[in-house]
Amino acid sequence: MASISHFTPCSTNVVASESHDLCVIGFKPGENLCFQGQAAICALQGSFTLLGHTLSSPNKKFTGNEPVHFYPAFSPKAYSLLMIESTPYDKRGYRDTPSPQPSAEIKKDIVKITKQLLQHGPFETIVAIKGIQWCGIDGITSVVPMFKGLFKLFNPNRTEDLAGLTPSKRRKVIQNHPELLEYEFKVPGFYPILGVPNTPWMRTPESWVDGVQRLINGAHVPADAINSVPIIVVCGTKGVGKSTFTRFLSNSLLNEYKDIAYLECDIGQSEFTPNGLVSLNLVSNPVFGPPFTHLQKPYRSYFIGNTTPRDDPGYYMACIRELVNVYRQELACKINSNGEEIKAPLVINTQGWVKNMGLELLFDLLEYVAPTHIFQFHSPNVPYRNIPTDLPSKFVDEMETPREAKIILLSSVDDITPKYHASDLRTLNLISYLYMNPLAYQDAGHKSVWDGSKGWWDFKYPLIARPPYKIGWKHLQVSVLFDDVPYSQLLYALNSSVVALTGPIGEVADKPQDDEENGNESENDEGPMTPPAYSTDSPDPTLVACHGLAILRSISPQDQEFHILTPLPAAFLESGVTGIVKGNLDLPVWPMIEGDVLNHVMGRREGGFEKVESEVQVPYLTYEANEGVGNAVRKVRRNIMRRRLNGEGA
């Protein structure tokens, strides 16, 4: 079977650095390279495309004086593998972003090995590949063993020299032992794929490319549209490639616009935040990888508290409407310091629930947003899963101006069986979020921590071994969604759960001073405990936003404190958090059984669980099975059809 990569590495098109985890690759016209792993990628000469975005060098030919802009790219086996494709030079692909430049020593090394490569040219495109294993994302497999080998091809144990082989023999050896390429490219964590992998690779359907090109070339935006920028809705049922397409679309738009706004309405498979939130994100750099590799602080977000809006559709739509208003007022059109008008299109990723109430919610969203474009997924193989073809296309925007949206049909990618279940990918997202470096989470694009001095994720210490933050509940508003919890059972319900940290919108409001600061005597620690203020209502989206998620690790009733684990900075917790909201998000079991406990569970330690439990504190877990009615949370399955609807009954 033919290789998926049209590229044969050799000493004339790959030159590796002898002093850094770095190499340069020369591509002829029409060549491409699929890879697994992680790396930073830069265009030194010409242009190449990656997941819909074109990256270009400042000049068509390499001179050695150009600025060097690296972008992180993550290609794990749980998702479709990325493909680097050489294309004719396109000046629009150069982004003069304020990203940090590599050190003078690394840049000197890049110039040196690129000049060596050019001796074997000419090349249409020259790409620099730099190792970023220091970012720390590899450590996620130590927490969730089911994702073992997520970025690694497999453990290489051969160090053959390929230099003396003929091209045909060389390709055959590499196809049988692809781990050899890591040694040849000398970029740890970067695994080029020359054969046919077991993991699907990114094959962009023609309808996707044509549809995005129609959007960009035609610029189907009425002159009377709000701020004259595209407002794009992507809709379709589950498992058709909707999230991947919105990533492809966003990257393509970033070749035309400096920034784009991304409205996440799919709370079960979020792109830039943990699941359970609707969010508005301002995206300035292309994203090369799945959601758990580029989580960032949103521009504004609200906590829905579940992976489906079924339990509270009214609040779900109220939050979306508020986010649309924020976009129209603050992001659609801005004036920069030079007096230039900066426009940002809006990309809206909708949920995959498109039956009954889910379809009504989609119609409500379309009516309120009044989009200029609707990308609708259509599957000829499973037509019963398609959205009705009579999707509304005529709207009236908030300026009372009639508008007709352009509907573009997209072919679905339903011939690929996912390796992992959606709930597993949600776990991956949450684990990635909880272990993020607070500085990296606050800084979109990780610009301030790009030098490698500190990782973007820290898996060195288990969550159960980390000291939690303490938050007093005297001035907190606690809410529990979807359940009517008795006041006397509130602390039991909150303990060991995933909660949202909420606060006022805009400037942080001053909290009331404690009694001691007011000159009054503090309450006696041994006096009666005052429970926190409690409500079963969802926070008002016009007043309160969600700033992040946390694990409520433990509670101290005597001190009236919550102990939480979160990637948010400690300084922000002091001033920005005024409420805690509990929804129905599940707490993954993996963070609670790290270290010695995990070693035993995975069969790497002798002795029973009782022995591990006696040596290591394992909060909230026991090896004994509960018995009796009410020993577990009741799960309702709505995907089982009645017998008469399934053709089995009369």
Side-chain angles (χ1 to χ4, degrees), residues 118-131:
L118 286 171
Q119 295 176 4
H120 306 284
F123 298 102
E124 180 182 56
T125 304
I126 298 179
V127 179
I129 307 291
K130 188 176 183 298

Side-chain angles (χ1 to χ4, degrees), residues 47-208:
S47 303
F48 68 91
T49 61
L50 186 64
L51 199 56
H53 187 78
T54 300
L55 288 172
S56 302
S57 58
N59 306 307
K60 188 174 182 178
K61 296 295 182 181
F62 178 78
T63 64
N65 299 319
E66 302 91 347
V68 177
H69 297 294
F70 278 102
Y71 294 90
F74 300 91
S75 184
K77 69 177 183 181
Y79 295 81
S80 297
L81 300 181
L82 299 180
M83 179 81 76
I84 303 171
E85 301 184 67
S86 178
T87 61
Y89 183 70
D90 186 350
K91 181 68 175 180
R92 295 176 304 171
Y94 175 69
R95 297 177 64 84
D96 190 14
T97 58
S99 58
Q101 294 287 303
S103 65
E105 182 182 359
I106 293 178
K107 190 171 182 181
K108 182 179 179 181
D109 202 10
I110 291 175
V111 174
K112 175 185 175 182
I113 61 178
T114 303
K115 289 183 177 180
Q116 294 177 13
L117 178 68
L118 286 171
Q119 295 176 4
H120 306 284
F123 298 102
E124 180 182 56
T125 304
I126 298 179
V127 179
I129 307 291
K130 188 176 183 298
I132 55 170
Q133 286 192 310
W134 51 263
C135 76
I137 191 61
D138 271 340
I140 199 168
T141 58
S142 65
V143 179
V144 192
M146 66 182 296
F147 291 103
K148 183 179 180 181
L150 190 62
F151 289 99
K152 294 183 178 180
L153 199 58
F154 47 79
N155 294 325
N157 54 14
R158 296 164 55 95
T159 56
E160 288 186 19
D161 183 11
L162 303 177
L165 301 179
T166 62
S168 59
K169 178 66 175 176
R170 174 191 181 87
R171 173 175 284 275
K172 184 176 180 180
V173 172
I174 288 176
Q175 287 180 351
N176 293 333
H177 304 281
E179 75 275 13
L180 295 177
L181 286 173
E182 185 190 30
Y183 291 102
E184 186 165 4
F185 283 75
K186 294 184 179 179
V187 179
F190 178 73
Y191 299 90
I193 305 294
L194 298 187
V196 179
N198 296 326
T199 302
W201 62 95
M202 186 60 197
R203 292 167 290 183
T204 307
E206 291 185 7
S207 65
W208 294 18

Side-chain angles (χ1 to χ4, degrees), residues 200-201 203 205 239-241 379 381-382 385 411-418:
W201 62 95
R203 292 167 290 183
V240 294
S379 173
N381 300 328
V382 282
R385 300 181 61 193
S411 59
S412 62
V413 185
D414 48 18
D415 58 341
I416 298 177
T417 303

Side-chain angles (χ1 to χ4, degrees), residues 585-606:
L585 295 185
D586 293 329
L587 174 63
V589 70
W590 296 111
M592 297 188 288
I593 58 173
E594 292 181 82
D596 290 338
V597 179
L598 181 60
N599 288 336
H600 168 72
V601 173
M602 299 305 295
R604 294 192 293 265
R605 176 170 176 169
E606 297 180 357

